[in-house]
Amino acid sequence: MNEFDFIATYLAPLAGAGGLNLKDDAALLKPSAGKDLVLTKDTMVEGVHFPPGHFGGDTADKLLRVNLSDLAAKGAHPIGYMLSIVWPKGIDGTYFKGFAAGLRDVQDAYNFELLGGDTTSSEGPMVVTATFIGEVPKGEMVLRSGAKVADDIWVTGTIGDAYLGLQSALGRALEPQPSAEALWHFEEAYYRPEPRLLFRKTLRKHASGAADISDGLVADAAHIAKASGVCFILEADKIPFSSAAGAWLSKQRDEDEAFKTLVTAGDDYELIFTASAGFRQEINRAAKTIGLRVSRVGTVGQGEGVRISSDGKVMTFQNTGYTHF
Ligand code: ADP
Ligand code: MG
């Protein structure tokens, strides 16, 4: 199967009117009145963002989810995406079908279309990139730069499950061995993070600043703090862990080090956001309606950077999160 057959057989069914069914050189997008476009792009490299040889649906699925998470953090909803795929040379064509099925699953779940892209191959690892286009009502995108001193700091969902899922996906034993159910929970968090799109209206209405947690809780807190010119003061005992991650954590010999690993590991794809203390009730109520756990983890202060206090002491970090260079 060549590149053209791949596009016609597997990708064209994922496109619609905007993508001209992938039968033209370019896509045509008609912006909606009263909306701003929100653009975001994420790349995944075999061996860096997903385990070697995982060319199928899991990788396609995750690529879309991590991009949707960026849109969710900005209060946007997805319209469509452009997809670039560099297949490893000589790839087994049965992976094409699985990859397309992964795309289909996420498109159906969140309702957006494939607009176009590019397909190539190389001797190197698989590289896949998606550029997403989302929309927000004019002027309502939630920025990293809006956090204000005395705002509450909130986190959705739980932190660290994806890190534990990655260890399991890489075949590294976790000590002590979690239950089968806990392992399933961790791997789901790693492979299928839930983009918090249902929370977008609440974010637009009440959040002063927001980011999604891709590089790690501490690193992404630092991104908002820096953009807003403030300090993030977090309380260690308020950081939300699932019962499975909490159980693992409590059995570690050096619980402080293990805690640091979970809050700097990344891949959570939860949201961290700030909001005036006057919105506590609204935020809790809105989260409850969509079954989303939200936790108040600290307060914005004057200064810079991120401070995590634990038992009255400030924790220090060697690394605050994942960096590529
Ligand atoms: P070109 O020759 O201009 O590079 P192609 O023949 O590669 O164009 O692409 C033809 C059509 O297929 C275009 O609409 C393009 O956007 C679409 N396409 C190619 N690769 C992909 C992909 N990986 N995902 C989505 N659409 C793709
Ligand atoms: Mg062309």
Side-chain angles (χ1 to χ4, degrees), residues 3-4 6-7 11 19-27 81-85 114-120:
E3 145 208 357
F4 302 108
F6 167 65
I7 295 167
L11 297 182
L20 302 173
N21 302 306
L22 307 187
K23 287 192 176 122
D24 212 316
D25 296 307
Y81 66 111
M82 305 288 288
L83 175 67
S84 153
I85 310 175
L114 180 59
L115 294 167
D118 200 25
T119 306
T120 53

Side-chain angles (χ1 to χ4, degrees), residues 72-75 142-148 150-157 159 196 198-213 217 220-225 228 230 232-234 240 270-277 279-288 290 292-300:
K74 304 296 100 184
V142 185
L143 305 174
R144 284 185 178 182
S145 57
K148 307 233 165 20
D151 278 353
D152 290 329
I153 303 168
W154 297 80
V155 166
T156 64
I159 299 300
R196 301 304 186 186
L198 287 177
F199 206 51
R200 64 183 180 270
K201 283 185 190 158
T202 308
L203 275 191
R204 293 203 303 261
K205 210 161 160 196
H206 301 304
S208 50
D212 73 326
I213 304 174
L217 173 67
D220 288 302
H223 292 149
I224 306 182
S228 300
V230 295
F232 267 41
I233 303 161
L234 308 179
E270 294 295 345
L271 305 179
I272 176 165
F273 65 97
T274 56
S276 156
F279 293 137
R280 279 179 198 172
Q281 242 192 0
E282 285 91 334
I283 289 168
N284 277 317
R285 204 178 295 143
K288 202 168 174 190
I290 58 167
L292 176 63
R293 177 171 174 179
V294 288
S295 310
R296 213 150 33 80
V297 297
T299 312
V300 178

Side-chain angles (χ1 to χ4, degrees), residues 90-124:
I91 183 152
D92 176 346
T94 53
Y95 283 114
F96 297 160
K97 193 172 177 186
F99 193 86
L103 300 175
R104 168 101 277 157
D105 274 356
V106 186
Q107 283 186 223
D108 287 352
Y110 300 100
N111 190 29
F112 57 91
E113 63 176 25
L114 180 59
L115 294 167
D118 200 25
T119 306
T120 53
S121 70
S122 86
E123 301 290 348

